Amino acid sequence: MLDKIKINVTAHTAAILQKDAEAFEFFKKDGRTLNKNALLTRLIVNYDETFRAKEHELFSYLKKKLAAAHISKSELEQLCYTVAGHINKREAAPTGEKFSCTVSVKPTKESEPIIAYTEEYLLAGSTLSEYFRNMFSSYAALPQDEREKIIFRSQYRSLQRAIDAGKKVFVTTANNREKRLELSPYALSNSKEELHGYLIAAHNGACIPLRISRILSVNELAEPVAFTDAQKKIFARMLAYGPQFVYGKAEEEILVQLTAQGMDKFKKLYVHRPVPSRVENNNYYFNCSYTQVIQYFQRFGKDAFVVYPQQVRDAVIRFHREAAERYRPRQHEKRKRELREPPNRG
């Protein structure tokens, strides 16, 4: 087994790697401690081919442009490596940041062959630490949903093949506990905020979203998919308004009235913001998921009023009523006692 590799990166790159370990739910067996080495292993294994191709493209370009210089082949190659190294260092720290954070990678059964090959054939005068610093910096420069496609490359590729072939799939998922599902996959889509990728699929007649980072394995089945017109309409709405939200079977138009402060909040709070089908003065009309509207406008308090449908209005009322109930004196004292006293486990 190769020794642990210490890689100096910028604070920005270190923060992205930390964030992704959390966002993509790389935890140890206790379910709380982040397993950053597992994320870095997946990064090295899945990004190696693409990153190596980028490096080769840059080197080939430099070699072509500098070929007119009257120097030997070995001197030309060394010059190209020197210039490429300088370019990579500038890209890793575009505003002159220091490589002040250390990321440690412990080689695993998966990553060790790639690390060994890199050390033997790809360094050309640089160090292993510098090579992986450049790889991690290149990865960190991508949007989160593109980074997710790298980390979960196998799932993306398997699902896209099944969608292209029009075949059902059998998947295992991790969301609190492992589940096994037979699905009819319809499409892969990213959230509007470019945070996560989702599979939208039919399961037992319902149209459901599955976050790609929570799919553990994918197996294509021989049975072809078949979708009803009603399902296709719901899928179209999921693709238009956000794939992560669940839809009911007969959801109606939603009307929300906003105060002046509410309209200002609507401009500023963009995460999971529903797209209105039309706006008339302070009346905002939506044809998206009830769940999306409920979760989004809960944050507005008195600055948003659901006019219809009643089901959505009742859900918002229930949310605020239950929240207010927690702050009643009797409930507040009960809650404080619960926090002070450990539960009796018998």
Side-chain angles (χ1 to χ4, degrees):
M1 180 68 73
L2 296 173
D3 294 333
K4 183 182 289 188
I5 307 165
K6 292 185 177 180
I7 303 160
N8 294 324
V9 298
T10 63
H12 171 74
T13 296
I16 291 291
L17 297 174
Q18 173 84 10
K19 174 187 171 185
D20 283 3
E22 192 169 353
F24 302 153
E25 299 174 342
F26 279 83
F27 295 103
K28 294 183 179 179
K29 290 182 179 179
D30 63 11
R32 297 185 300 274
T33 308
L34 288 179
N35 189 345
K36 286 190 283 188
N37 199 67
L39 172 79
L40 297 177
T41 296
R42 197 79 68 84
L43 193 168
I44 290 169
V45 172
N46 291 352
Y47 196 42
D48 171 68
E49 185 179 331
T50 301
F51 179 71
R52 201 190 307 174
K54 287 183 177 181
E55 291 288 280
H56 178 72
E57 181 182 4
L58 174 59
F59 180 80
S60 298
Y61 174 81
L62 291 172
K63 193 172 182 179
K64 181 179 178 181
K65 292 297 181 181
L66 297 174
H70 299 293
I71 54 178
S72 66
K73 182 179 178 181
S74 61
E75 288 175 323
L76 174 61
E77 290 191 351
Q78 186 56 53
L79 178 59
C80 289
Y81 281 122
T82 300
V83 175
H86 177 73
I87 292 172
N88 283 328
K89 190 172 182 179
R90 288 292 301 273
E91 288 185 348
T95 57
E97 307 99 308
K98 295 184 180 298
F99 300 110
S100 55
C101 296
T102 301
V103 176
S104 296
V105 177
K106 184 179 180 181
T108 65
K109 188 186 298 183
E110 284 184 279
S111 63
E112 188 170 15
I114 293 172
I115 294 172
Y117 178 84
T118 300
E119 190 171 29
E120 190 69 28
Y121 294 102
L122 302 180
L123 299 184
S126 64
T127 66
L128 199 60
S129 178
E130 288 173 334
Y131 182 87
F132 285 114
R133 180 192 68 199
N134 295 335
M135 176 188 279
F136 293 173
S137 300
S138 173
Y139 167 86
L142 299 170
Q144 181 175 307
D145 56 338
E146 292 299 317
R147 301 196 304 268
E148 186 180 55
K149 288 179 182 179
I150 292 168
I151 301 301
F152 300 96
R153 183 181 65 174
S154 174
Q155 290 91 323
Y156 268 97
R157 288 183 173 181
S158 297
L159 289 168
Q160 191 60 62
R161 280 197 300 267
I163 291 168
D164 292 341
K167 300 293 185 180
K168 289 186 176 182
V169 294
F170 177 77
V171 304
T172 57
T173 69
N175 188 3
N176 297 325
R177 65 179 185 274
E178 186 175 308
K179 292 183 180 180
R180 300 177 179 183
L181 303 170
E182 182 179 308
L183 305 170
S184 295
Y186 184 80
L188 296 171
S189 180
N190 297 326
S191 63
K192 299 305 177 185
E193 302 80 20
E194 298 182 344
L195 296 177
H196 291 288
Y198 290 84
L199 167 70
I200 58 174
H203 175 62
N204 291 337
C207 298
I208 64 169
L210 284 177
R211 213 167 90 179
I212 302 298
S213 61
R214 291 176 178 163
I215 297 177
L216 301 176
S217 64
V218 180
N219 288 283
E220 186 178 311
L221 303 177
E223 188 177 352
V225 299
F227 303 107
T228 66
D229 289 341
Q231 287 174 329
K232 290 178 182 178
K233 288 181 180 178
I234 292 176
F235 286 140
R237 292 169 75 183
M238 294 174 82
L239 291 172
Y241 298 112
Q244 66 268 49
F245 299 102
V246 176
Y247 282 74
K249 291 183 178 179
E251 295 192 352
E252 304 168 2
E253 181 182 68
I254 306 162
L255 170 57
V256 180
Q257 288 181 341
L258 300 179
T259 64
Q261 291 83 356
M263 288 187 282
D264 188 53
K265 289 178 182 178
F266 190 80
K267 293 176 184 176
K268 294 176 179 177
L269 299 176
Y270 66 90
V271 176
H272 301 324
R273 178 171 60 199
V275 178
S277 56
R278 68 184 191 278
V279 177
E280 298 173 355
N281 298 319
N282 67 328
N283 292 321
Y284 286 66
Y285 297 84
F286 302 95
N287 283 296
C288 59
S289 162
Y290 287 177
T291 302
Q292 183 176 5
V293 165
I294 292 166
Q295 291 180 354
Y296 180 77
F297 284 109
Q298 282 171 351
R299 296 176 285 179
F300 284 51
K302 64 182 177 59
D303 292 318
F305 177 75
V306 177
V307 180
Y308 61 74
Q310 189 66 42
Q311 180 181 341
V312 177
R313 182 160 56 177
D314 289 345
V316 175
I317 292 170
R318 185 165 54 252
F319 170 83
H320 289 297
R321 180 188 295 130
E322 291 175 354
E325 189 67 25
R326 294 293 299 275
Y327 288 92
R328 292 183 183 277
R330 188 187 307 171
Q331 293 295 327
H332 183 60
E333 290 303 318
K334 180 182 177 182
R335 180 61 180 156
K336 285 200 296 185
R337 286 197 303 273
E338 290 173 350
L339 292 173
R340 285 197 303 266
E341 299 170 7
N344 184 3
R345 302 192 184 279

